[in-house]
Amino acid sequence: MTVFSGAGISAESGVPTFRDVETGLWAEVDPYEISSADGWRSHPDRVWAWYLWRHHMMGAVAPNNAHRAVAAWEDYADVHVVTQNVDNLHERAGSKQVYHVHGSLFEFHCDRCGAAYLGEVPAMPEPVESVDPPRCVCGGLIRPNVVWFGEALPDRAWQQSVDAVINADVVVVVGTSSVVYPAAGLPELAVASGTPVIEVNPEPTPLTSTATVSLREKAGAALPGLLQRLPALIG
Ligand code: BV8
Ligand code: ZN
Protein backbone atom coordinates (compact mmCIF):
# COMPACT_ATOMS: atom_id res chain seq x y z
CA MET A 1 0.00 0.00 0.00
CA THR A 2 1.19 3.54 -0.70
CA VAL A 3 -0.27 6.48 1.18
CA PHE A 4 0.13 9.97 -0.33
CA SER A 5 -0.62 12.55 2.35
CA GLY A 6 -0.97 16.33 2.53
CA ALA A 7 -1.67 18.90 5.23
CA GLY A 8 -5.25 17.65 5.67
CA ILE A 9 -4.08 14.49 7.45
CA SER A 10 -2.58 16.71 10.17
CA ALA A 11 -5.55 19.09 10.36
CA GLU A 12 -7.26 17.05 13.13
CA SER A 13 -4.03 17.26 15.13
CA GLY A 14 -4.56 21.00 15.21
CA VAL A 15 -1.93 21.83 12.56
CA PRO A 16 -3.37 24.52 10.25
CA THR A 17 -3.42 23.25 6.65
CA PHE A 18 -1.28 25.07 4.17
CA ARG A 19 -4.24 26.96 2.73
CA ASP A 20 -6.04 27.61 6.00
CA VAL A 21 -5.92 31.27 6.83
CA GLU A 22 -3.17 31.30 9.41
CA THR A 23 -4.40 32.59 12.74
CA GLY A 24 -2.85 35.59 14.46
CA LEU A 25 0.51 36.86 13.37
CA TRP A 26 0.56 35.24 9.96
CA ALA A 27 -3.11 35.72 9.10
CA GLU A 28 -2.33 38.08 6.27
CA VAL A 29 0.85 36.33 5.15
CA ASP A 30 0.69 34.65 1.73
CA PRO A 31 1.83 31.05 2.38
CA TYR A 32 3.11 30.82 -1.17
CA GLU A 33 5.33 33.86 -0.70
CA ILE A 34 6.73 32.93 2.69
CA SER A 35 7.38 29.35 1.49
CA SER A 36 9.27 30.40 -1.63
CA ALA A 37 12.94 30.61 -2.54
CA ASP A 38 12.36 34.24 -3.53
CA GLY A 39 10.81 34.97 -0.14
CA TRP A 40 13.87 33.53 1.58
CA ARG A 41 16.23 35.56 -0.59
CA SER A 42 14.41 38.84 0.04
CA HIS A 43 13.54 38.53 3.76
CA PRO A 44 15.21 35.49 5.38
CA ASP A 45 14.40 36.85 8.86
CA ARG A 46 10.63 36.66 8.25
CA VAL A 47 10.83 33.28 6.57
CA TRP A 48 13.05 31.97 9.37
CA ALA A 49 10.60 33.26 12.03
CA TRP A 50 7.69 31.45 10.36
CA TYR A 51 9.53 28.12 10.13
CA LEU A 52 10.96 28.42 13.63
CA TRP A 53 7.41 28.96 14.92
CA ARG A 54 6.06 25.99 12.96
CA HIS A 55 9.00 23.87 14.19
CA HIS A 56 8.22 24.66 17.82
CA MET A 57 4.45 24.35 17.28
CA MET A 58 4.95 20.70 16.33
CA GLY A 59 6.02 19.98 19.92
CA ALA A 60 2.53 20.99 21.06
CA VAL A 61 0.58 18.66 18.74
CA ALA A 62 0.27 14.86 18.43
CA PRO A 63 -0.53 12.34 15.70
CA ASN A 64 -4.29 11.77 15.23
CA ASN A 65 -6.34 8.64 14.41
CA ALA A 66 -5.47 8.97 10.74
CA HIS A 67 -1.69 8.87 11.29
CA ARG A 68 -2.19 6.01 13.74
CA ALA A 69 -4.32 4.02 11.27
CA VAL A 70 -1.64 4.35 8.58
CA ALA A 71 0.98 3.09 11.05
CA ALA A 72 -1.30 0.18 12.11
CA TRP A 73 -1.70 -0.93 8.47
CA GLU A 74 1.93 -2.09 8.63
CA ASP A 75 0.68 -5.17 10.51
CA TYR A 76 -1.20 -6.19 7.36
CA ALA A 77 0.71 -4.80 4.40
CA ASP A 78 3.97 -3.30 3.21
CA VAL A 79 3.09 0.39 3.66
CA HIS A 80 5.03 3.26 2.08
CA VAL A 81 4.10 6.82 3.12
CA VAL A 82 4.81 9.63 0.65
CA THR A 83 4.09 12.87 2.47
CA GLN A 84 4.07 16.50 1.34
CA ASN A 85 4.01 17.48 5.00
CA VAL A 86 7.07 18.84 6.73
CA ASP A 87 5.82 17.71 10.14
CA ASN A 88 6.93 14.45 11.81
CA LEU A 89 3.50 13.12 12.78
CA HIS A 90 3.64 10.01 10.55
CA GLU A 91 6.93 8.99 12.19
CA ARG A 92 5.63 9.78 15.68
CA ALA A 93 2.58 7.55 14.97
CA GLY A 94 4.99 4.70 14.15
CA SER A 95 5.16 4.60 10.34
CA LYS A 96 8.50 3.13 9.29
CA GLN A 97 8.79 4.02 5.58
CA VAL A 98 8.09 7.77 5.22
CA TYR A 99 9.36 9.86 2.31
CA HIS A 100 9.25 13.66 2.68
CA VAL A 101 8.97 15.02 -0.86
CA HIS A 102 8.78 18.60 0.48
CA GLY A 103 11.37 18.20 3.23
CA SER A 104 11.13 18.55 6.98
CA LEU A 105 10.93 21.15 9.75
CA PHE A 106 13.37 19.09 11.82
CA GLU A 107 16.53 19.27 9.78
CA PHE A 108 18.51 22.38 8.87
CA HIS A 109 21.42 23.21 6.59
CA CYS A 110 23.56 26.14 5.48
CA ASP A 111 22.19 27.90 2.39
CA ARG A 112 25.73 28.69 1.21
CA CYS A 113 27.93 25.60 1.78
CA GLY A 114 25.10 23.11 2.31
CA ALA A 115 26.58 21.73 5.52
CA ALA A 116 24.02 20.16 7.86
CA TYR A 117 23.36 22.44 10.84
CA LEU A 118 23.57 20.44 14.06
CA GLY A 119 23.65 23.41 16.41
CA GLU A 120 20.78 24.17 18.73
CA VAL A 121 17.53 25.46 17.29
CA PRO A 122 16.86 28.90 18.82
CA ALA A 123 13.94 29.00 21.27
CA MET A 124 10.83 30.99 20.37
CA PRO A 125 8.87 31.79 23.55
CA GLU A 126 6.17 33.54 21.54
CA PRO A 127 5.57 34.07 17.81
CA VAL A 128 7.44 37.06 16.41
CA GLU A 129 7.46 38.22 12.83
CA SER A 130 11.20 38.51 12.31
CA VAL A 131 14.14 36.50 13.71
CA ASP A 132 17.64 36.53 12.19
CA PRO A 133 18.56 32.96 11.20
CA PRO A 134 21.67 31.44 12.80
CA ARG A 135 24.89 31.64 10.77
CA CYS A 136 27.06 28.76 9.59
CA VAL A 137 30.81 28.80 10.29
CA CYS A 138 31.22 29.78 6.63
CA GLY A 139 29.02 32.82 7.20
CA GLY A 140 26.03 31.43 5.26
CA LEU A 141 22.48 31.54 6.64
CA ILE A 142 20.97 28.46 8.26
CA ARG A 143 17.66 27.39 6.68
CA PRO A 144 15.17 24.55 7.26
CA ASN A 145 15.40 21.45 5.00
CA VAL A 146 12.05 22.25 3.40
CA VAL A 147 11.45 22.49 -0.34
CA TRP A 148 10.32 26.02 -1.18
CA PHE A 149 8.27 27.01 -4.22
CA GLY A 150 10.75 27.31 -7.07
CA GLU A 151 13.08 24.67 -5.60
CA ALA A 152 13.72 21.14 -6.80
CA LEU A 153 12.49 18.21 -4.74
CA PRO A 154 15.06 15.97 -2.98
CA ASP A 155 16.23 13.26 -5.40
CA ARG A 156 16.23 10.32 -2.98
CA ALA A 157 12.77 11.01 -1.51
CA TRP A 158 11.41 11.62 -5.01
CA GLN A 159 12.80 8.36 -6.39
CA GLN A 160 11.52 6.38 -3.38
CA SER A 161 8.10 7.98 -3.90
CA VAL A 162 7.92 7.18 -7.60
CA ASP A 163 8.89 3.56 -6.87
CA ALA A 164 6.33 3.34 -4.05
CA VAL A 165 3.56 4.59 -6.35
CA ILE A 166 4.55 2.43 -9.34
CA ASN A 167 4.80 -0.75 -7.22
CA ALA A 168 1.65 -0.18 -5.17
CA ASP A 169 -1.40 -2.47 -5.30
CA VAL A 170 -3.48 0.44 -3.97
CA VAL A 171 -2.75 4.15 -3.39
CA VAL A 172 -4.60 6.09 -0.68
CA VAL A 173 -4.48 9.87 -1.28
CA VAL A 174 -5.44 11.73 1.88
CA GLY A 175 -5.69 15.38 2.85
CA THR A 176 -4.19 17.07 -0.16
CA SER A 177 -5.57 19.71 -2.50
CA SER A 178 -3.60 18.03 -5.31
CA VAL A 179 -2.47 21.31 -6.88
CA VAL A 180 1.25 21.42 -6.09
CA TYR A 181 3.52 19.82 -8.70
CA PRO A 182 5.48 17.69 -9.30
CA ALA A 183 4.17 15.90 -6.13
CA ALA A 184 0.56 16.05 -7.33
CA GLY A 185 1.70 14.08 -10.38
CA LEU A 186 2.32 10.98 -8.24
CA PRO A 187 -1.35 9.95 -7.84
CA GLU A 188 -1.78 10.66 -11.57
CA LEU A 189 1.00 8.11 -12.19
CA ALA A 190 -1.03 5.53 -10.26
CA VAL A 191 -4.22 6.35 -12.18
CA ALA A 192 -2.34 6.08 -15.49
CA SER A 193 -1.00 2.63 -14.56
CA GLY A 194 -4.44 1.37 -13.60
CA THR A 195 -3.66 1.13 -9.87
CA PRO A 196 -6.73 1.66 -7.66
CA VAL A 197 -6.59 5.18 -6.14
CA ILE A 198 -8.73 6.03 -3.12
CA GLU A 199 -9.04 9.73 -2.28
CA VAL A 200 -10.03 10.82 1.24
CA ASN A 201 -10.93 14.51 1.47
CA PRO A 202 -14.00 16.39 2.75
CA GLU A 203 -13.69 18.54 -0.42
CA PRO A 204 -13.41 17.55 -4.09
CA THR A 205 -10.01 18.16 -5.73
CA PRO A 206 -8.61 17.98 -9.28
CA LEU A 207 -7.89 14.28 -8.58
CA THR A 208 -11.50 13.47 -7.68
CA SER A 209 -12.72 12.86 -11.22
CA THR A 210 -10.01 10.29 -12.00
CA ALA A 211 -9.68 8.56 -8.61
CA THR A 212 -11.18 5.05 -8.44
CA VAL A 213 -13.25 6.27 -5.51
CA SER A 214 -13.31 9.58 -3.65
CA LEU A 215 -14.59 9.58 -0.05
CA ARG A 216 -16.00 12.93 1.11
CA GLU A 217 -14.81 12.16 4.62
CA LYS A 218 -12.29 13.48 7.13
CA ALA A 219 -9.08 11.48 7.48
CA GLY A 220 -9.59 10.81 11.21
CA ALA A 221 -12.99 9.26 10.51
CA ALA A 222 -12.25 7.39 7.28
CA LEU A 223 -8.79 5.87 7.78
CA PRO A 224 -9.31 3.68 10.90
CA GLY A 225 -11.92 1.55 9.10
CA LEU A 226 -10.61 1.88 5.55
CA LEU A 227 -8.83 -1.50 5.26
CA GLN A 228 -12.05 -3.37 6.01
CA ARG A 229 -13.82 -1.30 3.33
CA LEU A 230 -11.19 -1.91 0.64
CA PRO A 231 -12.80 -4.98 -1.03
CA ALA A 232 -16.14 -3.14 -1.38
CA LEU A 233 -14.43 0.06 -2.54
CA ILE A 234 -12.11 -1.34 -5.19
CA GLY A 235 -13.76 -4.69 -5.90
C1 BV8 B 1 9.38 23.05 -8.54
C2 BV8 B 1 7.04 22.87 1.91
C3 BV8 B 1 11.02 23.35 -10.24
C4 BV8 B 1 7.17 24.12 2.66
C5 BV8 B 1 5.63 23.12 -0.06
C6 BV8 B 1 2.07 26.97 -12.48
C7 BV8 B 1 1.40 25.80 -12.80
C8 BV8 B 1 1.83 24.55 -12.28
C9 BV8 B 1 2.94 24.50 -11.43
C10 BV8 B 1 3.59 25.68 -11.12
C11 BV8 B 1 3.16 26.90 -11.64
N1 BV8 B 1 3.98 27.85 -11.14
C12 BV8 B 1 4.90 27.28 -10.35
C13 BV8 B 1 4.70 25.95 -10.34
C14 BV8 B 1 5.47 24.94 -9.64
C15 BV8 B 1 5.10 24.93 -8.18
C16 BV8 B 1 3.63 24.62 -8.04
O1 BV8 B 1 3.21 23.49 -8.18
N2 BV8 B 1 2.83 25.67 -7.72
C17 BV8 B 1 1.40 25.44 -7.57
C18 BV8 B 1 0.90 26.22 -6.36
C19 BV8 B 1 0.70 25.89 -8.83
N3 BV8 B 1 5.88 23.87 -7.59
C20 BV8 B 1 7.12 24.12 -7.12
O2 BV8 B 1 7.61 25.23 -7.07
C21 BV8 B 1 7.89 22.91 -6.68
N4 BV8 B 1 9.21 22.99 -7.26
O3 BV8 B 1 8.49 22.97 -9.36
O4 BV8 B 1 10.70 23.24 -8.87
C22 BV8 B 1 12.48 23.14 -10.32
C23 BV8 B 1 12.95 21.97 -10.90
C24 BV8 B 1 14.32 21.78 -10.98
C25 BV8 B 1 15.20 22.72 -10.45
C26 BV8 B 1 14.71 23.89 -9.83
C27 BV8 B 1 13.35 24.10 -9.75
C28 BV8 B 1 8.08 22.90 -5.17
C29 BV8 B 1 6.74 22.72 -4.49
C30 BV8 B 1 6.97 22.50 -3.00
C31 BV8 B 1 6.63 23.75 -2.23
N5 BV8 B 1 6.67 23.49 -0.78
N6 BV8 B 1 5.75 22.84 1.23
C32 BV8 B 1 6.15 24.24 3.74
O5 BV8 B 1 5.34 23.31 3.96
O6 BV8 B 1 6.15 25.28 4.37
S1 BV8 B 1 4.13 22.93 -0.77
C33 BV8 B 1 2.81 23.21 0.28
O7 BV8 B 1 1.63 23.00 -0.47
C34 BV8 B 1 2.60 22.21 1.38
O8 BV8 B 1 3.72 21.78 2.01
C35 BV8 B 1 1.97 21.05 0.70
O9 BV8 B 1 2.98 20.16 0.41
C36 BV8 B 1 1.50 21.62 -0.60
C37 BV8 B 1 0.11 21.25 -0.92
O10 BV8 B 1 -0.67 21.59 0.16
P1 BV8 B 1 -1.56 20.38 0.80
O11 BV8 B 1 -0.67 19.50 1.56
O12 BV8 B 1 -2.39 19.79 -0.27
O13 BV8 B 1 -2.41 21.19 1.79
P2 BV8 B 1 -3.54 22.17 1.37
O14 BV8 B 1 -3.72 23.11 2.50
O15 BV8 B 1 -3.31 22.67 0.00
O16 BV8 B 1 -4.82 21.23 1.27
C38 BV8 B 1 -5.27 20.58 2.41
C39 BV8 B 1 -6.30 19.59 1.90
O17 BV8 B 1 -6.74 18.82 3.00
C40 BV8 B 1 -7.52 20.28 1.31
O18 BV8 B 1 -7.86 19.65 0.10
C41 BV8 B 1 -8.60 20.04 2.37
O19 BV8 B 1 -9.88 19.85 1.78
C42 BV8 B 1 -8.13 18.76 3.00
N7 BV8 B 1 -8.54 18.57 4.40
C43 BV8 B 1 -8.77 19.52 5.35
N8 BV8 B 1 -9.11 18.91 6.51
C44 BV8 B 1 -9.06 17.56 6.29
C45 BV8 B 1 -8.70 17.35 4.95
N9 BV8 B 1 -8.57 16.12 4.42
C46 BV8 B 1 -8.82 15.07 5.23
N10 BV8 B 1 -9.18 15.20 6.53
C47 BV8 B 1 -9.31 16.42 7.09
N11 BV8 B 1 -9.67 16.55 8.38
ZN1 ZN C 1 28.04 27.08 5.46
Side-chain angles (χ1 to χ4, degrees):
M1 292 183 71
T2 292
V3 176
F4 180 70
S5 67
I9 198 170
S10 299
E12 291 160 87
S13 295
V15 180
T17 67
F18 201 71
R19 280 152 193 74
D20 272 356
V21 176
E22 288 287 351
T23 48
L25 207 55
W26 287 286
E28 65 289 340
V29 151
D30 170 7
Y32 289 96
E33 202 277 331
I34 203 163
S35 300
S36 68
D38 291 342
W40 170 254
R41 271 189 288 278
S42 54
H43 39 79
D45 56 311
R46 285 178 39 214
V47 174
W48 175 257
W50 191 53
Y51 281 93
L52 191 60
W53 172 244
R54 289 173 69 196
H55 169 89
H56 285 300
M57 185 183 70
M58 289 316 298
V61 299
N64 63 56
N65 289 340
H67 299 103
R68 282 196 283 271
V70 172
W73 293 346
E74 294 187 6
D75 295 342
Y76 306 94
D78 176 23
V79 183
H80 296 256
V81 180
V82 176
T83 188
Q84 299 173 93
N85 299 337
V86 292
D87 66 46
N88 58 356
L89 295 176
H90 279 298
E91 291 89 341
R92 286 168 58 189
S95 287
K96 299 283 180 297
Q97 302 176 121
V98 183
Y99 315 126
H100 284 269
V101 291
H102 290 161
S104 163
L105 284 171
F106 297 90
E107 292 155 3
F108 302 86
H109 67 270
C110 170
D111 79 345
R112 180 184 294 174
C113 72
Y117 173 71
L118 306 173
E120 74 173 62
V121 178
M124 188 181 234
E126 79 283 329
V128 290
E129 212 162 10
S130 157
V131 176
D132 286 334
R135 291 244 175 212
C136 172
V137 289
C138 81
L141 295 178
I142 298 302
R143 57 165 286 179
N145 278 19
V146 299
V147 180
W148 281 322
F149 285 102
E151 292 188 322
L153 276 56
D155 289 343
R156 182 161 151 68
W158 178 254
Q159 200 45 60
Q160 288 172 312
S161 302
V162 170
D163 294 346
V165 165
I166 285 182
N167 299 322
D169 295 313
V170 60
V171 174
V172 178
V173 178
V174 48
T176 180
S177 55
S178 294
V179 294
V180 174
Y181 284 84
L186 289 168
E188 293 168 358
L189 203 55
V191 169
S193 40
T195 307
V197 173
I198 301 172
E199 180 181 40
V200 177
N201 194 323
E203 306 290 328
T205 74
L207 181 71
T208 301
S209 57
T210 53
T212 312
V213 61
S214 186
L215 304 175
R216 269 310 137 271
E217 300 174 32
K218 288 188 167 186
L223 265 55
L226 192 62
L227 276 201
Q228 288 81 345
R229 293 166 68 184
L230 274 189
L233 288 174
I234 54 179

